[in-house]
Amino acid sequence: MASNFSNTTARASTAGAVRSRIVGVGSALPTRCVSNQELALELARKGVETSDEWIVARTGIEQRWLAEPDVSSSMLGTQAAQAALRSAGVAADDIDLVICATSTPDFIFPSTACLIQKALGITGGAAFDVQAVCSGFVYALATADGLIRSGVARRALVIGAEVFSRILDWNDRSTCVLFGDGAGAVVLTAAQKPGILASRLHSDGRHEHILRAAGNVCGGAVKGHPFLTMDGQAVFKLAVNVLNDVARETVEAAGLTINDVNWLIPHQANVRILTATARKLGIAPERVVSTVAQHANTSAASVPLALSVAVEDGRVKSGDLVLMEGVGGGFTWAASLVRM
Ligand code: ACO
């Protein structure tokens, strides 16, 4: 899915401080779309009871895209990156930094970012993964912004790519209905004007137990519990509070107010979290980009996927002020305020 976001060729200032700017957006989804009704039928065959009504009422999710067994995070991430490069009018050769946010990497190592780098034919610069679960894309964007501002890189691909379907326990109805697979990417380049106005990143490991996939590979065998587990109500409460706090903190750091924000793009976990966050912030529902109905929760891919959809359908335009927010396992949370 290529974005039609207008192309900009940005040049670093020789006089002022270097900043970074998003000049291209893209995304990718697997080919298999599974509606709630289809999923409920599939689960019923193995004795797991759920319904479209329950899923829609509690989460707002109507469908999810699930990767075929031979499709990996790096493949989806590569497709999203290619779409972002096309939208930016930037050649893969011009990229000197690839950061991939993922909790479902292809391998223990090398990083998914290195695999994407190889697939794109990029042979220089740096490539590494960021692991901050559903906050991963915002963490990666802030990291790339910092590396561009400090002169380490000039053109970055920042990607969120996930195949969360691989770490779901399909016998646990309280989690398996919530997630999907996908990828989103942006091209970030050095620029005279920001771009990324401010970012704020947070984590508090004391909450690590409320959302986790506490497994490992040891001596060739799986150790621990390699499937996602969650205390849904604890996650809900914490998510709404921290998303409110970090949104205000980030906007204030940029010397702006919540009223200046044209679009809120929060992590797409659950429509009730999105609605409650927007209400707390005093942001009208029509200024919130919500793709959770179409994609379900795609973890680190959810924010760039939603951004890509909103750029493609013409809602987010050049010059708009966009507040992106992530929240997820760790517990982690983060926000970036971006002038498109
Ligand atoms: N289908 C039908 N019934 C279900 C399902 C299902 N898929 N899942 C749970 N239930 C049942 C439970 O068994 C329970 O039944 P009982 O009352 O007979 O015991 C009942 O529904 C209520 O279960 P709760 O867990 O209390 O439901 P709740 O209203 O809390 O909703 C949910 C669960 C949607 C997960 C909610 O807690 C939530 O939105 N949490 C936020 C977490 C979230 O969105 N996480 C996404 C990942 S985290 C992240 O990305 C940051």
Side-chain angles (χ1 to χ4, degrees), residues 17 38 74 76 82 86 99 123 148 150 167 183 198 216 240 256 276:
E38 288 167 315
S74 75
L76 293 171
Q82 285 166 332
R86 273 197 303 277
I99 306 183
T123 53
I148 287 175
S150 63
I167 56 165
N216 197 341
V240 173
L256 294 166

Side-chain angles (χ1 to χ4, degrees), residues 50 54 58 134 173 179 211 230 232-233 267 270 297 327:
T50 189
W54 191 96
R58 303 284 177 131
C134 307
R173 67 179 183 172
F179 295 87
L211 181 55
M230 176 176 72
Q233 286 172 9
H267 168 50
N270 181 315
N297 182 345
V327 59

Side-chain angles (χ1 to χ4, degrees), residues 137-150:
F137 178 77
V138 180
Y139 266 61
L141 190 65
T143 304
D145 175 49
L147 290 172
I148 287 175
R149 288 169 71 164
S150 63

Side-chain angles (χ1 to χ4, degrees), residues 49-51 54-55 58-59 134 172-175 177-179 211 228 230-237 239 267-270 272-273 297 299 327-329 331:
E49 197 190 318
T50 189
S51 66
W54 191 96
I55 301 169
R58 303 284 177 131
T59 71
C134 307
D172 175 9
R173 67 179 183 172
S174 69
T175 54
V177 302
L178 304 176
F179 295 87
L211 181 55
L228 182 146
M230 176 176 72
D231 176 344
Q233 286 172 9
V235 168
F236 193 107
K237 279 187 210 138
H267 168 50
Q268 307 286 315
N270 181 315
R272 287 158 60 218
I273 294 181
N297 182 345
S299 191
V327 59
F331 212 69

